[in-house]
Amino acid sequence: AVALSGAMAAEGPGSLLTLSAAAVSRSMGTLERDVWALPGHLLRGLLPLLTVFRLERAEGAARRAGLSTQPIWRKLWDDVMKTRPPNSENVTCWRKKFLETFFSNVLHGVLDLASDWRLNDQHFSPLLHSSPHVSQLTLCNVLQGAVELAAEHNQKVLENLAVSLRILKFQHLLSSDQSIRRSLVLLLHRLIHHGSVSQVSMYSWPVPDTVLLLLILSMSAGFWRSGNALAYHSSPCALCREEDKAQRQGSAREPAERGHWNKREWNGGEDQKGSPRAPQEADAEVNACRADISLNSVLSGPRSPLQNQACGESNSEVPCDHTSIQGGSSPRCTSEQLSCHPILRKTGRRLKSAVGRKRRCLRRSRGPCADPEDLYDFVFTVAREDSSGLLHKTSTTEGESAENWTGSSPGSPHAGCKKRGGPAGIFPLKAAHRFRSVSTLELFSIPLTGETCRTLSNLLSSWVSLENLVLSYNGLGANIFCILSGLRALSRHSDCRLRVVRVSDVFSHVPCMELVPCILSAFPQLHTLSVSFDLKNQLEGNRPEGNPGCSEVEIPESCLEQLEIRFPREPLHTTFLLPVLKASKSLQQLSLDSATLPCSQELGFLLEVLKECTPNLKKLSFHDMNLAEHQKEVLLLLQDPVLQEITFSFCRLFESSTTEFLSEIIHTMKRNPSLKSLKLPGNRLGNHRLVALADIFSKDSSSSLCQLDVSSNCIKPDGLLEFTKKLEGHIQQRGGQIQFTHLRLFQNWLDQDAETAQEALRRLKAVCSVVNDSWDSSQAFADYISVM
C-alpha cells in the first residue's frame, strides 16, 4: 500500500477516480469478479495500478472492454527489466515477453521481487502464475533451474510447462552429480516425452560432461526407460502409469503368446503369413529386443558398480546387425546375451519371462551394489573405448560396399568412426514403445569426441521425428563421416522428416566441394543444406593413395531447394559442383561465400551450369568473392529472366570498374522485369554511384525492383539526399506508380552531417521503408586503422 501510494504521489495529486481505483486495487482479492464487469473508462484507470498477477488475469476483461494492456506491459518491462530486449521492434506481445522473462529471472534468482510493488502478491506464486506464458526456457551452469522445477512443490509448474514450452536451451553447463541428473531426467521426461518441447539447443560447453551431454541427447531422441525408474516423487507419471497398466493386463496372455512368438521368430518368421498383424508385431518385438541389447552396450557409461566384468566382456559378442531395418535377417538374441544387458525399457513382455530367471541370477551375483533403479541402469552414457564390436556395420544390402563407409586404411576419412576391435557404423534404435522426441537439435560450440559422435550417430539412425539438425563448431574433423552414417540409416526410414542440416566448424576435414556431395549422397531428402568452414585443414593434402574422395560418390536425385557453402578460401571448381547441381533440379537458392576463382573462365562456366541444371533457381548470392574482373558475368546475371534476388556482398564490384560498367548495370536492370531484390553491400558505391542507381526507376524503365541494399558503401548524407531527390523526380514522372518498397542503409557515413541525413531519411520514408542504424563511422575507421 505504501509503495502504491508513493507511485501515485509521483504522478501528482489524483482525482477521486484515481483514489478510488487505488483503493480497489488493494482489495482485488475480494472485488476481482466485480471489477472485471466495470465499464471500459473505469477499467482503464485501474489496470496500471494492478500487480503483474492481477494484470495478467485482467486480460480477458480488458479485451471485452476494447482496451489493450500492451502499453502497460511495455512500461513494466522498462521499469522492472531495465534493458532493451534484442529485436524489440519485432515483439508482438509484451505481456508474453515480460512474463516469460519474469519466469526465467525468478527461476534463476536474478530478480528481486521486493524491488517493485507490482511483483508482490501473497495470493500468487510467481513461477506458477507466469509458467503458462513460457514457450522458451534456458537452463545454465549447474542446472539449478532444473532442480527447482523438478521439486515436488513445483509439480503444477512443470505441468504448465509441459503444455506451453516449445524450445529448451542449455548454456554454459558445468559437471553435475547424480542427484542433479535425476532432477534433469524428471524434467526432460515430462517436458519432452510427455510434453510439447520440439527444439533442444545447447550452447557454449567447452569441456562437456559426457554423461550429462549424452543424457540430454538420448532423451531428446525419445529413448528412455519407462516404469518406476522415472517415478515422479514415488508416483509414476500418468502416461507411464497407463503403459504399466496395459502391460499388466496383457500379462495374462503372456505364456501362450510367448510360445507363439518364439515359434514365429526363432524359425525365421515362417508362421507370419497367415496373420496381417504378424509382420508388425514381429518387427516391433525384434527391434525392442535388439534395441534393449544395443542401447545398453553401445551407450553404456563409465563403469558403474552395476556393470561387472563378465557382463562387459560379453558385450562384444552380441551379433546385432541393423540389417533388419531393411528387411534383412533377424538377429538371434539368446538368453545368455540378454542376461548381460540390463533391459533399458521393459516393454518386451514376451522376452521378459524367457530371460527373467537368468537376469535374476546375474543380479544376485552382482552383490549389494546392484541397485536396479540406479541412474546408470537407464542412463545413456559414452561408449567404452575397450569394448569391441559395439557399433555394427552399415547395411550392405543397399548395394554399397562396407569399405566405402568404414575404410580400413589408417588415413581413411572414415577412420574417426571406427572402434578398436571392430568396424564402425550404426545399429537400430527402433524400440517398440519409444517416447516422443524433439524435431530440432542444435549444438553450438560443444566439442564432440569420437565416442560422442558414435553415440549421436546411433541416435540419429532412427530419429524419424527430427526435422532440423544444426552442428556448429563442434570440432568434428573426421567424425563428420560417423554422423553421416547415422543420417544414411535415417534416410532409409520412409517416415523420416529431416529436411534441414547445417554444419559449420573452424577446420574442414575435407574440401567443401567433396563434403557436400557426400552429405547429399547420405541423405538426398534434404531441402536445405548449409556447409561452412573458417579454415582449411593443413593435413587434407596428405591423403593415402587409393582412397577416393567424397566427390566421387554417386548422388541420387535430391530434393534440395537451398544450398549454402562457405569456403575456407578454397578454389571454386565448378566441375565438382556440377554433380550436385545436376542432382538438384529443385534448387531455388544458392549461396557461395569466401570462395576463390581459380581462373577467369570459372565464373562463366558456373553460370552456364546454373542455367542448364537449375531451371528453378530464384535466389543467387555471392559473398566475399573478388568479382572485380568479372564484369561480363555480373551483367549476364543481372539480365537473367528467372532470378528474382541477386546478392553481391563485399565482392569488390567497382574496385577497378569504369563509368561504362555502372551505366551497363543500370541499363540492364531497367530491361529486367523479373528481378525483385538487388543487394550490393560492401562494394564501394560511394555517393555518385548511388545517385546513378536512382535511374533504375526512371519513366522508361520496366524494372520491378522492390528491395535495394546499399549497406557499407561509404555513402554520405549529401549523396543520400541527392539520391532521394532524384528518386522523387522519377516517381513524379511515373504518376506515383513505383514498386520500390525497401531500402537498407546499414553502416554508412550518415553521422557526418546529422541534419542533412535526417532530411534525406524523412523524405525517403515517405517513398519506401528505410532500415538504417546509428553507426559511428569515425570509430569504425579508427578500428580499421588499428588492425592494418
Side-chain angles (χ1 to χ4, degrees):
V2 175
L4 178 59
S5 300
M8 293 177 58
E11 298 177 358
S15 64
L16 179 60
L17 182 60
T18 304
L19 294 173
S20 300
V24 170
S25 68
R26 290 192 291 266
S27 305
M28 284 296 292
T30 305
L31 303 176
E32 181 174 318
R33 182 172 299 180
D34 297 325
V35 167
W36 301 155
L38 290 174
H41 68 282
L42 295 177
L43 198 58
R44 183 183 293 108
L46 177 62
L47 291 176
L49 302 177
L50 299 178
T51 64
V52 294
F53 312 104
R54 299 290 181 185
L55 181 61
E56 193 275 336
R57 290 165 66 93
E59 190 66 29
R63 190 180 296 110
R64 289 191 296 271
L67 302 176
S68 172
T69 62
Q70 290 299 300
I72 304 175
W73 289 108
R74 176 60 198 263
K75 187 176 186 305
L76 271 168
W77 178 279
D78 293 337
D79 295 345
V80 175
M81 304 304 174
K82 296 181 173 61
T83 60
R84 181 181 178 182
N87 301 319
S88 59
E89 64 277 2
N90 297 327
V91 176
T92 57
C93 180
W94 282 99
R95 176 177 63 132
K96 181 184 184 302
K97 180 67 177 177
F98 178 88
L99 290 174
E100 187 172 59
T101 307
F102 175 74
F103 178 93
S104 179
N105 289 350
V106 171
L107 178 65
H108 294 102
V110 297
L111 180 62
D112 182 11
L113 297 178
S115 62
D116 194 298
W117 63 270
R118 290 166 293 186
L119 308 181
N120 278 298
D121 194 320
Q122 60 181 355
H123 298 96
F124 296 96
S125 163
L127 291 180
L128 180 60
H129 196 75
S130 57
S131 57
H133 300 274
V134 179
S135 61
Q136 178 174 306
L137 178 63
T138 300
L139 300 175
C140 52
N141 300 331
V142 292
L143 294 169
Q144 60 270 34
V147 175
E148 176 66 19
L149 291 175
E152 188 167 5
H153 61 271
N154 282 323
Q155 184 172 357
K156 181 61 178 176
V157 175
L158 201 54
E159 292 177 5
N160 288 342
L161 291 177
V163 176
S164 65
L165 196 65
R166 297 294 184 272
I167 301 175
L168 183 59
K169 297 182 178 181
F170 298 90
Q171 191 169 16
H172 304 301
L173 294 186
L174 303 174
S175 297
S176 59
D177 58 27
Q178 189 164 322
S179 63
I180 293 177
R181 289 197 295 269
R182 284 185 180 275
S183 295
L184 183 62
V185 166
L186 296 177
L187 184 72
L188 295 179
H189 181 64
R190 188 68 184 91
L191 297 182
I192 297 178
H193 300 166
H194 302 320
S196 303
V197 170
S198 59
Q199 174 178 328
V200 169
S201 303
M202 289 185 272
Y203 300 82
S204 304
W205 202 355
V207 186
D209 180 333
T210 304
V211 173
L212 190 59
L213 173 60
L214 295 182
L215 185 152
I216 296 173
L217 289 176
S218 58
M219 295 196 74
S220 298
F223 284 101
W224 208 246
R225 174 180 179 174
S226 60
N228 293 333
L230 282 174
Y232 187 76
H233 305 301
S234 302
S235 176
C237 71
L239 185 55
C240 291
R241 193 184 304 119
E242 289 292 331
E243 291 179 355
D244 289 344
K245 181 179 179 180
Q247 289 175 355
R248 285 195 298 271
Q249 291 175 349
S251 61
R253 299 189 301 271
E254 186 174 319
E257 291 178 351
R258 184 176 68 249
H260 178 62
W261 181 83
N262 285 338
K263 179 181 178 181
R264 185 175 66 234
E265 280 301 316
W266 302 125
N267 291 330
E270 296 178 357
D271 296 334
Q272 296 179 14
K273 300 179 182 179
S275 171
R277 296 181 65 246
Q280 289 84 356
E281 290 179 356
D283 180 69
E285 288 158 354
V286 170
N287 281 288
C289 160
R290 295 167 62 227
D292 287 342
I293 296 173
S294 302
L295 290 174
N296 282 277
S297 61
V298 177
L299 302 172
S300 59
R303 285 193 186 276
S304 71
L306 294 176
Q307 298 168 322
N308 61 12
Q309 186 174 359
C311 183
E313 293 172 352
S314 65
N315 285 343
S316 60
E317 300 175 2
V318 181
C320 287
D321 194 304
H322 81 291
T323 53
S324 67
I325 291 182
Q326 307 301 327
S329 60
S330 300
R332 298 297 182 260
C333 302
T334 65
S335 60
E336 289 80 1
Q337 292 161 347
L338 287 169
S339 66
C340 288
H341 299 271
I343 298 300
L344 186 66
R345 295 190 57 191
K346 301 177 181 177
T347 55
R349 285 288 176 177
R350 297 178 179 89
L351 293 175
K352 184 176 179 181
S353 296
V355 301
R357 290 187 299 273
K358 181 70 176 178
R359 186 187 295 117
R360 286 193 293 271
C361 293
L362 185 58
R363 283 177 176 170
R364 283 195 295 269
S365 69
R366 291 174 179 170
C369 293
D371 178 8
E373 302 303 331
D374 187 271
L375 178 66
Y376 283 100
D377 193 27
F378 59 90
V379 69
F380 287 89
T381 50
V382 68
R384 292 191 300 273
E385 280 289 342
D386 58 347
S387 298
S388 60
L390 299 185
L391 293 167
H392 303 280
K393 287 188 296 184
T394 304
S395 172
T396 58
T397 60
E398 296 295 316
E400 62 178 332
S401 169
E403 283 297 317
N404 290 338
W405 290 94
T406 60
S408 57
S409 60
S412 169
H414 318 295
C417 198
K418 287 193 66 175
K419 291 286 294 178
R420 288 203 305 264
I426 48 180
F427 68 94
L429 296 172
K430 186 178 179 183
H433 293 84
R434 184 172 180 173
F435 284 112
R436 178 185 174 275
S437 54
V438 302
S439 59
T440 298
L441 176 67
E442 298 180 341
L443 303 178
F444 297 94
S445 300
I446 301 177
L448 300 181
T449 64
E451 297 292 347
T452 307
C453 288
R454 280 187 282 273
T455 302
L456 179 57
S457 174
N458 283 280
L459 293 172
L460 289 173
S461 67
S462 61
W463 199 333
V464 294
S465 71
L466 191 66
E467 299 175 8
N468 302 279
L469 175 63
V470 179
L471 301 175
S472 181
Y473 293 95
N474 306 119
L476 293 178
N479 291 318
I480 182 65
F481 295 100
C482 194
I483 302 298
L484 293 184
S485 296
L487 294 181
R488 181 175 288 270
L490 177 62
S491 69
R492 298 191 182 107
H493 291 261
S494 60
D495 54 345
C496 71
R497 304 175 190 172
L498 184 64
R499 296 298 178 264
V500 178
V501 170
R502 300 183 183 276
V503 179
S504 58
D505 221 321
V506 176
F507 292 103
S508 61
H509 179 70
V510 294
C512 290
M513 291 317 307
E514 295 192 21
L515 182 60
V516 169
C518 211
I519 295 177
L520 286 179
S521 172
F523 207 99
Q525 299 97 318
L526 288 180
H527 287 183
T528 299
L529 173 60
S530 176
V531 175
S532 172
F533 295 101
D534 298 335
L535 301 170
K536 289 189 292 185
N537 191 335
Q538 298 299 320
L539 301 178
E540 71 176 30
N542 300 328
R543 294 181 183 173
E545 296 183 2
N547 186 23
C550 286
S551 58
E552 301 177 21
V553 175
E554 183 178 353
I555 307 174
E557 184 174 350
S558 73
C559 304
L560 197 65
E561 297 177 357
Q562 181 175 349
L563 175 61
E564 302 172 359
I565 307 175
R566 185 163 71 91
F567 299 80
R569 291 297 169 191
E570 290 177 0
L572 171 61
H573 292 292
T574 306
T575 306
F576 294 154
L577 188 59
L578 183 59
V580 175
L581 297 178
K582 283 185 175 181
S584 307
K585 300 295 185 182
S586 302
L587 191 67
Q588 299 180 22
Q589 300 182 44
L590 175 62
S591 175
L592 303 175
D593 186 344
S594 302
T596 60
L597 298 171
C599 63
S600 58
Q601 294 80 22
E602 194 68 38
L603 186 57
F605 184 31
L606 174 63
L607 299 189
E608 293 178 6
V609 169
L610 289 176
K611 187 175 182 179
E612 177 184 351
C613 300
T614 56
N616 299 310
L617 190 66
K618 299 294 190 296
K619 297 181 180 181
L620 180 61
S621 173
F622 296 97
H623 176 75
D624 196 14
M625 294 174 59
N626 187 358
L627 302 182
E629 305 299 329
H630 296 82
Q631 298 177 9
K632 177 183 177 181
E633 289 79 9
V634 169
L635 292 174
L636 287 174
L637 282 172
L638 291 176
Q639 67 186 27
D640 189 286
V642 179
L643 288 175
Q644 297 179 3
E645 179 179 306
I646 299 178
T647 300
F648 297 110
S649 175
F650 294 89
C651 290
R652 302 158 68 175
L653 286 183
F654 304 102
E655 184 174 279
S656 58
S657 67
T658 62
T659 306
E660 289 74 15
F661 177 52
L662 180 62
S663 300
E664 290 176 345
I665 287 180
I666 296 172
H667 183 64
T668 302
M669 293 284 298
K670 291 169 67 173
R671 294 184 302 168
N672 186 353
S674 63
L675 191 63
K676 307 297 182 184
S677 175
L678 178 63
K679 300 180 180 181
L680 302 171
N683 283 289
R684 305 182 185 181
L685 278 174
N687 282 356
H688 67 286
R689 292 191 182 96
L690 175 67
V691 174
L693 287 178
D695 288 335
I696 295 174
F697 308 98
S698 63
K699 185 178 180 179
D700 61 341
S701 173
S702 58
S703 171
S704 301
L705 194 67
C706 300
Q707 301 181 25
L708 178 63
D709 187 348
V710 290
S711 302
S712 305
N713 270 296
C714 310
I715 298 170
K716 298 179 180 180
D718 56 337
L720 183 62
L721 182 59
E722 189 177 349
F723 169 82
T724 304
K725 292 177 179 179
K726 195 172 184 179
L727 182 62
E728 289 174 338
H730 290 318
I731 294 175
Q732 186 176 4
Q733 292 177 4
R734 299 178 63 161
Q737 301 297 321
I738 189 172
Q739 300 186 32
F740 185 50
T741 58
H742 290 81
L743 177 66
R744 296 175 66 87
L745 289 166
F746 288 111
Q747 296 186 350
N748 280 298
W749 298 353
L750 302 184
D751 60 331
Q752 294 187 1
D753 186 347
E755 185 177 349
T756 303
Q758 288 302 318
E759 181 185 355
L761 291 173
R762 178 181 57 80
R763 297 173 67 165
L764 269 175
K765 290 178 180 178
V767 176
C768 62
S769 173
V770 181
V771 183
N772 68 310
D773 55 2
S774 55
W775 190 58
D776 187 350
S777 58
S778 61
Q779 182 59 48
F781 183 73
D783 292 341
Y784 173 75
I785 294 296
S786 68
V787 298
M788 286 183 64

